[in-house]
Amino acid sequence: MKASDLLVNCLENEDVEYIFGIIGSEVIDLADSLSKSEKIKYIPVRHEQGAAFMADVYGRLSGKPGVCLATLGPGATNLLTGIASANLDHSPVVAITGQKDLNVQHKNAHQYVEIVKVFEPAAKWSVQIKDANTMPEIIRKSFRVATSEKPGAVAIELPENIAKANTTTKPLSITQLPMSVPAEEFLREGARLLNQCKKPFIILGNGVIRQNAVKEVQTFIERLGCPAANSFMAKGILSKEHSQNYYSFGFNEKDYVLRGMEESDLLVVIGFDFNEKLPSEWNKKKVSVLHIDPLPAEVEEGYPVVGELVGNLKETLRLFLKEKIMSKPWVPIGELKKRIEDACFISKNAPTPTHLTIENLLHVIERLPSEQTVVISDVGAHKVAVARTLQPIHGNQLVISNGLASMGISIPGAIGAKLAAPEKTVIVLTGDGGALMNFAELETAKRLGLTFIIILLNDSMLKLEVEAMNKAFGENYGVTFSNPDFVQLAQSFGAKGMRATQITEFEEILVAAMNNSQEIFLIDTILQE
């Protein structure tokens, strides 16, 4: 059997459904093998960065590794941003790249770059296949590494001569990893810490959603009766109306939630990833921490751990709830919850919106049927507003690039989302800067027959940088630009483009778009200050 055929067999064995990528000369053997697969659909994209972002969001929503493919040299390096983003956001991704023959890699060969070394700082594991007979082991290990906590990206390099080689090996069988849980003495110690404290404050991270532990966390929060807040990527664990929901934290300015944390005498941190926001930035008073996570706590001065419950979150919390844990209801001083609601435009009693601002736009999205909606936020000033204001009904209804915070993820991410969850309505929120980075992937979406809604926030600037420079220097430089006519640009790709300059106009268009499952809609919004 040709090694590239074996590689496809191994990917089929891992239940791979889609591979996103661009084929180059060094991966044509693999492309030929993929053409014969009845289980895997290869999806040609317009840029390798888009392929990596598609794999990232597909992996987040499906729970299975997203797979992307590129050739050597520039094809491989174009994947790098998306791979780093997936790795820092703990999304399972496997990237496969081509490479020159092993026998010319010691030379200054055309397009040769040591891709394994390039990817090493950006991935959980980066490896070259040097022998076709090792392929089953490498593929099985790659998928195991990509999905084990904390999930991330793996990069596999396939030299041309290895792809063409003959082999008699076969895919390895897949065995499930056992679920680990804390020993009884650690559970008892965790209960003791909770029972002796007076004001616990619960911090929720994306690990709760990744490990399907939302129901257990909700039960735990209601048992304690204390305040709880979430990271950007953990929104939706508690409903907007939940009395203990103190919303999101992790902002550079006006992070009012921190006042509740500072009043606490024990932070109960569940499934939080440090790369969202280092504890030293939100726990400056060094409040003691009860760490509940699949992995042991990282060592950080701002994270003074006094107890650890390490294991699968769902099973760990199920066992922990059997302990005798006393209720600890308390409310932070100064009507903090209401202050957060007012400052973040969450308040139920907010006036009826009239202007087309990002906050009012988000309120419109919230008012529409959203049980089956996924919102993908690109990176920019609007991402901060989304993290503050938008309150999804469930976890995993909001996708944000937060670890690497990479612009350009939203449009290709919508493709990954629709393939992972075709029954969902996908809404993209993107600035003009992020949109044009991967706008060409509209052709990919149209070719695949996918539909989603793009809300394009049009202000001809990198607003976060404009605000930062104006604050620091009283003026800005190099952060404004001109834009094409986005309505016409969308129409040239076969999408339906419309423009909104008033909030009522925006709502009418959005309602029409959500009721039309046959077209890609782009709503060009001219925001008002």
Side-chain angles (χ1 to χ4, degrees):
M1 177 186 292
K2 189 167 70 168
S4 60
D5 291 335
L6 172 62
L7 178 53
V8 171
N9 289 348
C10 290
L11 296 175
E12 291 176 340
N13 187 53
E14 299 290 344
D15 197 27
V16 172
E17 296 179 286
Y18 303 102
I19 296 179
F20 310 96
I22 295 180
I23 292 168
S25 298
E26 288 71 23
V27 292
I28 58 172
D29 283 280
L30 179 54
D32 180 59
S33 298
L34 279 171
S35 72
K36 302 166 190 172
S37 175
E38 296 181 357
K39 297 181 179 180
I40 300 174
K41 182 175 182 178
Y42 173 70
I43 296 176
V45 305
R46 306 314 299 259
H47 194 286
E48 291 89 353
Q49 185 184 99
F53 283 145
M54 292 173 203
D56 174 350
V57 178
Y58 173 88
R60 292 193 208 196
L61 295 184
S62 71
K64 303 191 304 182
V67 181
C68 51
L69 171 68
T71 189
L72 82 174
T77 57
N78 281 346
L79 287 175
L80 187 60
T81 296
I83 294 306
S85 180
N87 203 48
L88 286 179
D89 281 340
H90 299 303
S91 179
V93 168
V94 173
I96 302 169
T97 68
Q99 188 53 281
K100 290 287 188 184
D101 287 5
L102 289 171
N103 58 10
V104 300
Q105 290 183 15
H106 63 287
K107 304 176 184 179
N108 189 20
H110 177 64
Q111 289 192 308
Y112 176 70
V113 177
E114 291 188 70
I115 292 301
V116 171
K117 289 185 178 179
V118 169
F119 277 95
E120 277 177 354
K124 283 185 77 175
W125 188 41
S126 182
V127 61
Q128 182 187 70
I129 301 175
K130 296 182 173 69
D131 184 335
N133 292 324
T134 65
M135 193 175 288
E137 294 177 348
I138 289 175
I139 299 301
R140 179 78 281 273
K141 179 179 177 179
S142 295
F143 279 77
R144 187 164 176 152
V145 169
T147 54
S148 61
E149 281 292 335
K150 299 185 188 277
V154 171
I156 304 170
E157 186 182 72
L158 178 65
E160 273 186 290
N161 60 319
I162 299 299
K164 299 175 187 293
N166 289 319
T167 179
T168 58
T169 56
K170 297 179 180 179
L172 300 180
S173 59
I174 298 173
T175 56
Q176 299 299 320
L177 288 172
M179 289 186 180
S180 62
V181 294
E184 287 186 13
E185 58 265 33
F186 290 98
L187 294 167
R188 287 195 298 269
E189 174 61 14
R192 186 190 69 80
L193 289 168
L194 279 174
N195 289 334
Q196 75 175 15
C197 77
K198 294 181 180 179
K199 294 182 177 182
F201 196 109
I202 298 172
I203 295 174
L204 305 173
N206 193 40
V208 174
I209 297 171
R210 282 199 309 266
Q211 297 227 315
N212 194 28
V214 171
K215 288 184 179 179
E216 289 75 15
V217 163
Q218 290 170 343
T219 303
F220 179 69
I221 290 170
E222 287 168 8
R223 167 85 70 87
L224 278 181
C226 65
N230 55 261
S231 71
F232 289 10
M233 295 176 67
K235 292 172 75 78
I237 293 174
L238 289 181
S239 70
K240 178 180 179 178
E241 293 76 22
H242 200 292
S243 62
Q244 293 164 250
N245 187 357
Y246 279 68
Y247 311 106
S248 302
F249 75 98
F251 305 99
N252 292 330
E253 295 180 348
K254 300 179 181 178
D255 204 345
Y256 296 115
V257 180
L258 303 192
R259 298 181 185 182
M261 295 183 189
E262 290 170 354
E263 194 181 340
S264 166
D265 58 358
L266 181 68
L267 299 178
V268 184
V269 184
I270 309 176
F272 180 77
D273 303 323
F274 275 28
N275 47 28
E276 283 208 73
K277 196 79 170 178
L278 285 172
S280 56
E281 299 180 62
W282 48 261
N283 190 18
K284 293 183 179 179
K285 289 197 172 181
K286 299 179 184 177
V287 179
S288 297
V289 170
L290 173 58
H291 173 83
I292 306 177
D293 196 81
L295 296 180
E298 293 187 52
V299 176
E300 216 250 21
E301 189 178 4
Y303 200 69
V305 175
V306 293
E308 293 191 60
L309 301 182
V310 178
N312 175 271
L313 287 181
K314 189 179 186 71
E315 291 303 307
T316 295
L317 288 166
R318 186 181 62 81
L319 291 174
F320 197 36
L321 285 164
K322 293 181 179 180
E323 297 291 323
K324 293 180 180 179
I325 299 172
M326 294 185 291
S327 178
K328 298 283 179 173
W330 69 282
V331 176
I333 60 174
E335 295 187 315
L336 181 62
K337 184 176 172 70
K338 184 179 185 304
R339 186 169 184 179
I340 294 168
E341 289 173 341
D342 291 342
C344 298
F345 301 92
I346 302 169
S347 177
K348 297 178 185 177
N349 300 317
T352 301
T354 56
H355 291 89
L356 189 53
T357 64
I358 179 63
E359 290 81 13
N360 290 340
L361 181 152
L362 294 172
H363 289 157
V364 170
I365 293 174
E366 274 190 19
R367 286 201 302 270
L368 296 176
S370 55
E371 282 281 349
Q372 294 294 313
T373 298
V374 173
V375 175
I376 302 176
S377 175
D378 216 300
V379 174
H382 65 278
K383 187 189 95 166
V384 179
V386 168
R388 288 188 188 279
T389 303
L390 187 65
Q391 302 300 316
I393 297 174
H394 304 297
N396 237 11
Q397 282 193 295
L398 175 63
V399 175
I400 292 180
S401 173
N402 204 40
L404 191 66
S406 177
M407 291 175 66
I409 190 175
S410 60
I411 292 177
I415 295 173
K418 284 299 289 187
L419 292 172
E423 76 285 359
K424 304 282 189 183
T425 298
V426 174
I427 298 176
V428 167
L429 281 166
T430 180
D432 40 16
L436 283 180
M437 288 184 175
N438 282 303
F439 203 88
E441 299 305 344
L442 276 191
E443 187 279 326
T444 305
K446 191 71 179 176
R447 176 173 13 103
L448 294 171
L450 303 178
T451 59
F452 46 84
I453 301 164
I454 301 170
I455 300 170
L456 194 143
L457 310 169
N458 190 344
D459 58 10
S460 299
M461 67 176 74
L462 301 176
K463 189 173 181 180
L464 277 179
E465 284 64 37
V466 168
E467 291 174 346
M469 294 182 80
N470 286 346
K471 183 178 180 180
F473 312 118
E475 58 184 357
N476 61 81
Y477 175 78
V479 287
T480 59
F481 40 75
S482 60
N483 280 324
D485 185 319
F486 283 107
V487 170
Q488 291 188 20
L489 184 59
Q491 291 170 348
S492 73
F493 280 92
K496 191 172 182 66
M498 303 184 77
R499 183 169 290 112
T501 57
Q502 298 294 327
I503 194 69
T504 52
E505 189 178 20
F506 169 77
E507 186 164 6
E508 289 173 2
I509 297 171
L510 183 59
V511 169
M514 292 188 74
N515 290 331
N516 185 336
S517 60
Q518 305 303 311
E519 293 185 277
I520 298 172
F521 269 74
L522 181 142
I523 309 173
D524 182 15
T525 59
I526 311 301
L527 294 182
Q528 301 161 344
E529 293 297 330

